[in-house]
Amino acid sequence: LTCCAFQLNAADPLPSWNESAAKQNIIQFVEKVTSKDSPDYVPPEHRIATFDNDGTLWTEKPQYFQVFFAIDRVKALAPQHPEWKTEEPFASILKGDYKTAFAGGEAAVLKLVVATHTGMTTTEFEKIVNEWSKTARHPKTGRLFTQMVYQPMLELLAYMRSKGFKTFIVSGGGIEFMRPWTERVYGIPPQQVVGSSVKTKFEMREDGPVLIRLPEINFIDDKAGKPVGINSHIGQRPIAAFGNSDGDIQMLEWATGASGARFALLVHHTDAKREYAYNVGAVQALKDASEKGWTVVNMKDDWKVIYPPLKK
Amino acid sequence: LTCCAFQLNAADPLPSWNESAAKQNIIQFVEKVTSKDSPDYVPPEHRIATFDNDGTLWTEKPQYFQVFFAIDRVKALAPQHPEWKTEEPFASILKGDYKTAFAGGEAAVLKLVVATHTGMTTTEFEKIVNEWSKTARHPKTGRLFTQMVYQPMLELLAYMRSKGFKTFIVSGGGIEFMRPWTERVYGIPPQQVVGSSVKTKFEMREDGPVLIRLPEINFIDDKAGKPVGINSHIGQRPIAAFGNSDGDIQMLEWATGASGARFALLVHHTDAKREYAYNVGAVQALKDASEKGWTVVNMKDDWKVIYPPLKK
Ligand SMILES: [Ca+2]
Ligand SMILES: [Ca+2]
């Protein structure tokens, strides 16, 4: 089930990247901040790199994978909720009519989150996510969602770690939706995952202490929230940041807006054949990238492969 | 100025601890979770240890050191605030009458926090704390506050790290009050510090992006908040936790209330001559310790020295 482990190739640490500017920019940056005699040298404790998740480390189409998770939970929980047969957004979700389900906008999403992501203990939720991550499959490719991660980005994570970087996820997705599988899939441990969250409450039960996931948003780790989440969890400014959309602009500004060598990269989804091609939600970020000199990955041209090979 | 670096002694990793039960309990626990052939073996990625700060890693008397910091800030900022001459709690603080100053209870403390800890950028606050930490001295010993850390606990931190543990601070104190000096003093990097916090806000200024510290409490990392903070920042349950007061009970319950080998320790302040002797604020925790088998350090008997030697 573990799709993605691979050996770092010392001769070419980024073998799935074509020999284009994106790859050169990455390697030049890493070399200059890690070479002891470089004027841009950064000691290891400050080599902090932050990565958006959806659309940067794994695919985010036809919709965020966490939405598939929520839908799967609605289906699994429906027998305990006969009232959902007539209550939106659940009724439409159970009919497979997602357009109607999400016509309710933010209120519908919040209702869905509360029903599927809260009310249980953190341990119970971890178990639910873990099981889902090992069985749920993408509707188009049939791969496990955790096999829809980008092979070139897995290489990049491993390469940067081999050069003394600490790699963090900083995602608008749920922090506890990611943590159960990020170490296995990306090599990123739970304490290096930053994301959106609900409030939790400590409770002593007869069989031991628990944390209950409450039906209340605690933090939204998106847009201007990303530097806030970074500051809260990491406590220092990244020197490199990787994203794909307008939700990452502030994170990339935060990472690059200080003295010393800095690096920002946007993954641009240009590959309709091997993945998806779209600018929606990334128009401003792409404009900023060209104005500010952020590196833009053109998936179609810069990446030899998109997904990791599947084990037989 | 760096008081506290020292070499780990392989023959005796805890040389400042007397050969009593506390030391034996610590070493037995560490051995059993790190020996590959032990039934209690824990892989390195799950060797998480959390440490309270005030009264556990450094002295907390005659009052929390962060209160001294706030008082020093009031004095430094007073020239810009002529209105403080008549406004409480500032008026009494400026007169050195702390009893009257804090008679206002929580409201007075909040006013003090807002006036001294908010309104500036995170970078500015870091600089203020950093400078204070290198100059401010304890009223009784004349040591820098950062030299009022416990030598036996420094040894314990280094010993556990040498055995593959990740050491975290989980304190009721301000997260950004600790981060500027915890790496230098304890060897604990910013991303491994959990604490109380104010809200922050991202802002693009002409000379670059900043995070502003807002006059609004974000999180109180104390009592039942400690497991919440641990879950938010670390994302997994510690297998060992160290505290000194009732504010640590839930953290110690959280660390010990699951299967597998677990360890909890309370520092009991019993040494009026070399430090302070008090039970106030720790009565319930000491009761719980004796009922639940948590290790209690009797500072007077268990520790050969309290503070690190000062460099000449
Ligand atoms: Ca994204
Ligand atoms: Ca304490």
Side-chain angles (χ1 to χ4, degrees):
Chain A
L1 281 172
T2 55
C3 69
C4 309
F6 66 93
Q7 292 294 319
L8 188 71
N9 181 335
D12 179 3
L14 302 174
S16 299
W17 293 69
N18 284 315
E19 300 300 324
S20 52
K23 178 174 181 172
Q24 283 163 20
N25 292 353
I26 291 167
I27 290 178
Q28 270 171 22
F29 169 76
V30 170
E31 290 293 333
K32 85 178 164 188
V33 297
T34 58
S35 302
K36 278 251 171 185
D37 52 357
S38 159
D40 294 309
Y41 178 76
V42 174
E45 64 269 27
H46 298 307
R47 291 181 204 156
I48 304 289
T50 55
F51 294 80
D52 170 60
N53 187 39
D54 298 305
T56 299
L57 295 180
W58 73 356
T59 292
E60 59 177 351
K61 297 289 176 188
Q63 56 195 337
Y64 292 134
F65 293 176
Q66 195 170 356
V67 175
F68 285 112
F69 168 76
I71 289 169
D72 288 345
R73 292 307 299 157
V74 168
K75 290 175 185 165
L77 294 168
Q80 301 156 239
H81 292 275
E83 76 280 10
W84 285 357
K85 280 182 192 142
T86 54
E87 188 185 343
E88 293 296 353
F90 310 108
S92 293
I93 286 172
L94 291 170
K95 283 178 222 146
D97 178 3
Y98 304 124
K99 204 176 154 191
T100 306
F102 294 109
E106 250 185 60
V109 172
L110 188 65
K111 230 171 141 182
L112 183 62
V113 168
V114 167
T116 57
H117 285 67
T118 72
M120 69 293 279
T121 69
T122 52
T123 308
E124 288 161 354
F125 188 71
E126 181 184 358
K127 193 161 166 268
I128 292 166
V129 172
N130 208 20
E131 280 170 16
W132 180 87
S133 77
K134 289 178 179 172
T135 53
R137 289 177 184 275
H138 190 269
K140 185 168 145 187
T141 66
R143 284 175 172 247
L144 295 175
F145 288 109
T146 50
Q147 294 168 334
M148 299 287 291
V149 297
Y150 304 133
Q151 174 66 20
M153 295 304 285
L154 296 180
E155 293 169 4
L156 178 57
L157 287 167
Y159 168 56
M160 294 188 77
R161 288 195 293 260
S162 79
K163 292 290 192 170
F165 277 84
K166 280 209 158 50
T167 54
F168 288 80
I169 290 174
V170 177
S171 167
I175 190 168
E176 301 212 43
F177 172 71
M178 298 181 281
R179 280 172 164 170
W181 51 266
T182 54
E183 179 131 40
R184 172 165 53 89
V185 173
Y186 299 135
I188 296 180
Q191 65 269 19
Q192 287 169 218
V193 178
V194 183
S196 298
S197 56
V198 297
K199 287 197 190 292
T200 63
K201 185 175 180 289
F202 181 81
E203 215 176 272
M204 255 325 239
R205 291 186 174 173
E206 270 190 23
D207 57 346
V210 295
L211 285 168
I212 313 286
R213 292 173 55 82
L214 302 179
E216 193 184 341
I217 299 294
N218 178 57
F219 180 64
I220 300 291
D221 190 52
D222 196 27
K223 300 192 177 74
K226 289 205 174 191
V228 171
I230 287 169
N231 186 61
S232 167
H233 285 259
I234 310 178
Q236 54 181 318
R237 206 186 273 225
I239 62 168
F242 303 80
N244 78 299
S245 83
D246 296 351
D248 299 310
I249 291 173
Q250 288 88 346
M251 174 168 77
L252 271 53
E253 286 176 338
W254 182 238
T256 55
S259 60
R262 305 273 161 174
F263 188 74
L265 181 148
L266 276 183
V267 175
H268 187 196
H269 293 263
T270 53
D271 197 328
K273 200 171 162 195
R274 296 186 300 172
E275 206 235 11
Y276 294 89
Y278 55 97
N279 284 359
V280 174
V283 172
Q284 184 62 45
L286 289 163
K287 188 162 166 276
D288 287 353
S290 83
E291 276 168 20
K292 294 174 183 181
W294 299 343
T295 294
V296 176
V297 169
N298 180 325
M299 283 178 76
K300 189 161 177 260
D301 296 337
D302 290 334
W303 287 357
K304 289 185 194 164
V305 299
I306 306 293
Y307 301 121
L310 296 179
K311 303 257 166 61
K312 302 293 171 190
Chain B
L1 282 174
T2 55
C3 69
C4 309
F6 66 93
Q7 293 294 319
L8 187 71
N9 181 334
D12 179 3
L14 302 174
S16 300
W17 292 69
N18 283 316
E19 300 300 326
S20 53
K23 178 174 181 173
Q24 283 163 22
N25 291 354
I26 291 166
I27 291 178
Q28 270 172 21
F29 170 76
V30 170
E31 290 293 334
K32 85 178 164 188
V33 297
T34 58
S35 302
K36 279 252 171 187
D37 53 357
S38 159
D40 295 309
Y41 178 77
V42 174
E45 64 269 28
H46 298 307
R47 292 181 202 155
I48 303 290
T50 55
F51 294 80
D52 169 61
N53 187 39
D54 300 304
T56 299
L57 295 180
W58 74 355
T59 292
E60 60 177 348
K61 298 288 176 187
Q63 55 194 338
Y64 292 133
F65 293 175
Q66 195 169 356
V67 174
F68 285 112
F69 168 76
I71 289 169
D72 288 345
R73 292 306 300 156
V74 168
K75 289 175 186 165
L77 294 167
Q80 301 157 242
H81 292 276
E83 76 279 11
W84 284 357
K85 279 181 194 143
T86 55
E87 188 185 342
E88 292 297 355
F90 310 108
S92 294
I93 286 173
L94 292 170
K95 282 178 223 147
D97 178 3
Y98 303 124
K99 204 178 154 190
T100 305
F102 294 109
E106 251 185 59
V109 171
L110 188 64
K111 230 171 142 180
L112 183 63
V113 167
V114 167
T116 56
H117 286 66
T118 73
M120 69 292 279
T121 70
T122 52
T123 308
E124 288 161 355
F125 188 70
E126 182 184 356
K127 193 161 167 267
I128 292 166
V129 172
N130 208 19
E131 280 170 15
W132 180 87
S133 77
K134 290 179 178 171
T135 53
R137 289 178 184 275
H138 190 269
K140 184 168 144 185
T141 65
R143 284 174 172 247
L144 295 174
F145 288 109
T146 51
Q147 293 168 335
M148 300 286 290
V149 296
Y150 304 134
Q151 174 67 19
M153 295 303 284
L154 296 179
E155 293 169 4
L156 178 57
L157 287 167
Y159 168 57
M160 294 187 77
R161 288 194 293 260
S162 79
K163 292 290 192 169
F165 278 83
K166 283 211 156 50
T167 54
F168 289 80
I169 290 174
V170 178
S171 168
I175 190 167
E176 302 213 43
F177 172 71
M178 298 181 282
R179 280 173 163 167
W181 51 267
T182 55
E183 179 129 41
R184 170 165 54 89
V185 173
Y186 298 136
I188 296 181
Q191 66 270 20
Q192 288 169 217
V193 178
V194 182
S196 298
S197 57
V198 296
K199 287 197 190 291
T200 64
K201 186 175 180 289
F202 181 82
E203 216 176 271
M204 256 325 241
R205 291 186 174 172
E206 270 189 22
D207 57 347
V210 295
L211 285 168
I212 313 285
R213 292 173 56 82
L214 302 178
E216 192 184 341
I217 299 294
N218 178 58
F219 180 65
I220 300 291
D221 190 52
D222 197 27
K223 301 193 177 72
K226 289 205 175 191
V228 171
I230 286 169
N231 186 61
S232 168
H233 285 259
I234 309 178
Q236 54 179 319
R237 206 187 273 226
I239 62 168
F242 303 79
N244 79 301
S245 83
D246 296 351
D248 299 309
I249 290 172
Q250 289 88 345
M251 174 167 77
L252 271 53
E253 286 175 338
W254 183 237
T256 56
S259 61
R262 305 273 160 174
F263 189 74
L265 181 148
L266 276 184
V267 174
H268 187 197
H269 294 262
T270 52
D271 197 327
K273 199 170 163 195
R274 295 185 302 173
E275 205 234 12
Y276 294 89
Y278 55 97
N279 284 357
V280 173
V283 173
Q284 183 62 46
L286 290 163
K287 189 160 165 278
D288 287 353
S290 83
E291 278 168 18
K292 295 174 182 180
W294 299 343
T295 293
V296 176
V297 168
N298 180 325
M299 283 178 77
K300 187 159 176 262
D301 296 337
D302 290 333
W303 287 358
K304 289 184 194 164
V305 300
I306 306 293
Y307 302 120
L310 295 178
K311 303 259 165 60
K312 302 289 167 189

